[in-house]
Amino acid sequence: MKLFHTENGKETVYVQMQDIMQLTQSDMPIPATIYTKVFTDVTIVDDSNRFDFVRFDEKDEVKFFKKLDFIIDYEQYKDLRDEELEEEAKKLARKANEIAEKWNFMSQDERERNSNLLQEHENLGYMLKFLSEIYAINMAKGVCLFQTL
């Protein structure tokens, strides 16, 4: 998840460690300053620190994270009702299924020319995972709209 704020008149973004690790697994070029802020030493991300946030405040860093759709912007989703979160998840799942279907009907040559589809499919799955986390956060806050029978 990412959180955008303005601090002392300067735009900043906080990004969870697990999202930064996901970035390192992609073939996307990542600004060097992000690496130096996070990976100054050996960094192991596990359950004890994966939800920790790292602050980025350089213009290029903030701009970079704004462009990344697959890292969920908490502000866009935090106030959605359960039904709205479910609809967002369905949209993402439909898109992922469309990509999978398209991929499955491609020849090997077509797959090589469209390798970006694999990353897009993985990103959609990653987004789905975090929509479920937002749902869990809302449940923990007592925001759940489901009624018990």
Side-chain angles (χ1 to χ4, degrees), residues 5-12 14 55 57:
H5 291 283
T6 301
E7 298 174 359
N8 299 322
K10 189 174 186 178
E11 191 169 24
T12 59
Y14 291 83
R55 181 179 184 268
D57 61 2

Side-chain angles (χ1 to χ4, degrees), residues 96-141:
N97 288 336
E98 288 169 8
I99 290 171
E101 188 174 314
K102 184 177 181 179
W103 181 266
N104 289 338
F105 284 104
M106 286 182 175
S107 68
Q108 187 62 35
D109 287 342
E110 289 173 317
R111 288 178 180 181
E112 288 175 16
R113 288 191 305 271
N114 293 287
S115 61
N116 62 315
L117 288 177
L118 286 179
Q119 185 66 56
E120 188 177 347
H121 187 268
E122 184 177 318
N123 290 350
L124 290 167
Y126 192 76
M127 291 174 75
L128 279 166
K129 175 181 166 186
F130 284 96
L131 283 183
S132 67
E133 283 193 21
I134 291 172
Y135 179 80
I137 290 168
N138 287 347
M139 294 278 291
K141 291 191 304 189

Side-chain angles (χ1 to χ4, degrees), residues 56 78 81 91 115 130 132:
F56 300 97
K78 70 177 177 106
R81 295 185 328 268
K91 285 180 196 175
S115 61
F130 284 96
S132 67

Side-chain angles (χ1 to χ4, degrees), residues 18-145:
Q18 61 192 356
D19 296 316
I20 295 167
M21 294 308 293
Q22 180 71 19
L23 274 175
T24 64
Q25 310 228 336
S26 74
D27 57 359
M28 183 180 309
I30 302 169
T33 57
I34 292 171
Y35 272 108
T36 58
K37 285 184 180 175
V38 178
F39 303 108
T40 54
D41 202 359
V42 175
T43 303
I44 298 174
V45 177
D46 61 13
D47 285 343
S48 70
N49 65 353
R50 71 185 183 107
F51 294 116
D52 292 352
F53 283 90
V54 179
R55 181 179 184 268
F56 300 97
D57 61 2
E58 293 185 25
K59 282 185 179 184
D60 288 344
E61 297 167 343
V62 173
K63 184 178 175 183
F64 175 76
F65 284 111
K66 276 188 176 185
K67 289 180 184 178
L68 295 179
D69 292 335
F70 76 91
I71 298 178
I72 296 290
D73 183 348
Y74 183 64
E75 288 297 317
Q76 291 180 336
Y77 296 95
K78 70 177 177 106
D79 294 325
L80 294 182
R81 295 185 328 268
D82 292 344
E83 296 86 5
E84 293 169 317
L85 279 173
E86 184 178 340
E87 188 56 38
E88 286 296 315
K90 285 179 182 178
K91 285 180 196 175
L92 293 174
R94 277 192 298 271
K95 192 170 181 180
N97 288 336
E98 288 169 8
I99 290 171
E101 188 174 314
K102 184 177 181 179
W103 181 266
N104 289 338
F105 284 104
M106 286 182 175
S107 68
Q108 187 62 35
D109 287 342
E110 289 173 317
R111 288 178 180 181
E112 288 175 16
R113 288 191 305 271
N114 293 287
S115 61
N116 62 315
L117 288 177
L118 286 179
Q119 185 66 56
E120 188 177 347
H121 187 268
E122 184 177 318
N123 290 350
L124 290 167
Y126 192 76
M127 291 174 75
L128 279 166
K129 175 181 166 186
F130 284 96
L131 283 183
S132 67
E133 283 193 21
I134 291 172
Y135 179 80
I137 290 168
N138 287 347
M139 294 278 291
K141 291 191 304 189
V143 179
C144 180
L145 299 176

